[in-house]
Amino acid sequence: MPHHKYNPLHILATRTDGVLLPPDTEPYSDIVYRTTAENWQKLKDEKIVEREKKPYFYLYQERDETHTQTGLVILCHVSDYDSNIIKRNELTRTAKENDFVRVTEELRAHLSPVILTYPDADGCFHKLIMPTTSEQPLFDLTYDDARHTLWRVTPTEAVQNCLEGIPKLYVADGHHRTASSSVVARKYAASHPDHTGLEEYNWFPAVIFPSTELRILPYHRVLKQLPDSVLGFVAKLGVLGTVSPFTGECTDRVPPGKLRVCIGNQWWQIELKEEIGTSTMEVEQLQDNFLAPVLGVKDVRNDPRLVFVGGKISHLLHHMQEHPEESAVAFACPPFPVNVLMEVSDKGEILPPKSTWFTPKPFPGLFFHEF
């Protein structure tokens, strides 16, 4: 599907797919962005994508075998991000942010929405908007083992009031796209002396999910090589807490306050110490009290010894089976609570790198915002 000429994934797969451009193409070279812009223009010329004639919100539902989450597709103003009404909790990397800036500028469009969440304390979302799911959908399709359903929602006064009652939003997925949208808006504003703040370049698309709907999955860690004997390594794990053999079902979700470690075919479970430093998140305890001080893994984003696998434990097991030569030790982490994400954001703090994983992802090609 990514190589179908009309799939928007194909537009942006110019760096690595070896179809539109040679696989050894420099990822940030001019030809990458030029080819991306050309493919975007073809989609518009052939009317594969078209602008709505009237303004709408969209109710968007994702459903897989274990979870359903429903959110509202809206446009957010960059000023809300700049003033911290839309709260961030992750650092961005300059190269990746600049990449999104360049793509957005070349296309004059945002090609996918960010994911935001908020506490739906009064249940306004469910009371007002969820009844729409009983109506005939605009789209209903299956992609990547998930069902994606979309309904139009007329922007009535009641819907507007519901949205205006949300005091703040939290970036759950899409920090680089959100930050790059702000950069692009500032650049356009600087080149438009009659800038008012109402221009289309000031807005970016988002799916907002109530915190009660949004599912966050863990990011697991995998060491490519075992730096010690099995027993020696297990003994070192004792700095984290009580280590014991795990005899349960390895695909079971890891409970809070625990980690599971797989070495070879043997699973171990760690009951984390409560008094272990100031870390409160399991992945943070693993990093601050074992990976960094014991193994010397300090730059987790760039250390070649470490691999990240997002999703369920079944995804971790699949990775280990597909890459046994690079899966000497696997750390299975518990899911990340949405309320912790919001608490960290409210404090102005930053989540540990690679803390959260979101699936299903929004279906590529459903939502664009052109300016």
Side-chain angles (χ1 to χ4, degrees):
M1 189 166 182
H3 292 159
H4 191 284
K5 68 176 182 177
Y6 290 144
N7 191 329
L9 280 178
H10 190 49
I11 297 176
L12 299 177
T14 52
R15 294 188 176 88
T16 58
D17 67 356
V19 175
L20 297 179
L21 294 172
D24 59 350
T25 301
E26 171 60 36
Y28 301 129
S29 59
D30 289 344
I31 192 173
V32 170
Y33 300 103
R34 186 165 62 248
T35 305
T36 299
E38 290 171 355
N39 288 329
W40 170 241
Q41 188 60 48
K42 287 177 183 178
L43 279 183
K44 295 190 293 180
D45 291 344
E46 299 178 25
K47 298 190 183 302
I48 305 304
V49 296
E50 294 188 30
R51 181 186 290 269
E52 286 275 34
K53 295 179 174 60
K54 295 169 57 178
Y56 293 102
F57 298 119
Y58 298 92
L59 191 65
Y60 179 49
Q61 186 174 86
E62 301 171 309
R63 183 186 310 159
D64 64 16
E65 70 277 7
T66 61
H67 183 74
T68 298
Q69 56 191 35
T70 308
L72 195 66
V73 183
I74 66 172
L75 290 178
C76 294
H77 200 279
V78 293
S79 65
D80 287 337
Y81 177 76
D82 295 337
S83 62
N84 205 34
I85 292 174
I86 298 176
K87 293 179 173 289
R88 67 206 79 178
N89 48 66
E90 183 179 301
L91 297 175
T92 59
R93 289 182 286 125
T94 302
K96 189 173 181 181
E97 184 177 315
N98 289 343
D99 179 39
F100 276 110
V101 168
R102 181 79 183 274
V103 170
T104 304
E105 287 184 310
E106 291 282 349
L107 276 59
R108 291 184 62 97
H110 303 99
L111 295 187
S112 60
V114 302
I115 298 177
L116 307 178
T117 189
Y118 66 96
D120 187 28
D122 60 2
C124 176
F125 178 85
H126 281 274
K127 295 173 186 175
L128 182 63
I129 301 173
M130 284 298 284
T132 304
T133 58
S134 62
E135 300 175 4
Q136 182 69 24
L138 182 62
F139 292 105
D140 191 7
L141 45 89
T142 299
Y143 170 77
D144 199 20
D145 298 325
R147 185 175 178 181
H148 301 258
T149 310
L150 186 71
W151 296 265
R152 280 195 183 105
V153 177
T154 302
T156 63
E157 183 179 353
V159 174
Q160 293 280 11
N161 290 338
C162 185
L163 290 173
E164 290 173 4
I166 300 174
K168 50 193 172 183
L169 292 161
Y170 301 83
V171 180
D173 189 42
H175 283 272
H176 289 88
R177 281 169 289 155
T178 311
S180 65
S181 296
S182 176
V183 172
V184 169
R186 288 198 299 272
K187 293 176 73 172
Y188 270 82
S191 63
H192 287 73
D194 55 348
H195 169 81
T196 66
L198 299 178
E199 297 85 357
E200 281 296 317
Y201 56 74
N202 293 289
W203 304 83
F204 62 93
V207 186
I208 59 169
F209 289 99
S211 59
T212 52
E213 292 274 328
L214 186 65
R215 176 181 63 180
I216 303 180
L217 294 175
Y219 244 126
H220 310 291
R221 276 78 169 132
V222 179
L223 285 173
K224 293 182 179 180
Q225 296 181 337
L226 180 64
D228 202 337
S229 67
V230 172
L231 292 180
F233 188 83
V234 171
K236 291 178 179 178
L237 290 173
V239 300
L240 290 168
T242 304
V243 185
S244 58
F246 179 70
T247 57
E249 179 57 53
C250 63
T251 57
D252 287 349
R253 176 181 295 190
V254 181
K258 295 181 173 61
L259 293 169
R260 289 204 193 112
V261 185
C262 182
I263 308 174
N265 293 319
Q266 174 65 54
W267 282 88
W268 306 81
Q269 183 158 281
I270 305 173
E271 183 86 32
L272 295 170
K273 297 177 181 178
E274 293 184 2
E275 69 278 7
I276 191 166
T278 60
S279 305
T280 57
M281 293 167 275
E282 293 86 356
V283 292
E284 192 176 25
Q285 292 185 24
L286 174 62
Q287 176 60 35
D288 292 351
N289 301 292
F290 184 76
L291 293 180
V294 178
L295 301 185
V297 179
K298 298 180 180 180
D299 183 1
V300 295
R301 293 185 182 276
N302 299 305
D303 196 302
R305 295 171 289 176
L306 197 62
V307 175
F308 296 92
V309 180
K312 303 174 184 176
I313 295 183
S314 58
H315 299 148
L316 175 62
L317 295 174
H318 178 74
H319 173 87
M320 295 164 63
Q321 292 167 358
E322 291 291 311
H323 307 280
E325 73 286 354
E326 295 186 350
S327 302
V329 182
F331 294 91
C333 303
F336 199 90
V338 180
N339 68 296
V340 174
L341 180 147
M342 295 190 290
E343 290 171 3
V344 169
S345 303
D346 284 336
K347 294 177 182 177
E349 297 176 352
I350 300 299
L351 292 174
K354 302 292 187 181
S355 298
T356 58
W357 176 262
F358 297 87
T359 188
K361 301 288 187 182
F363 181 82
L366 276 182
F367 313 109
F368 303 100
H369 173 241
E370 193 172 31
F371 56 88

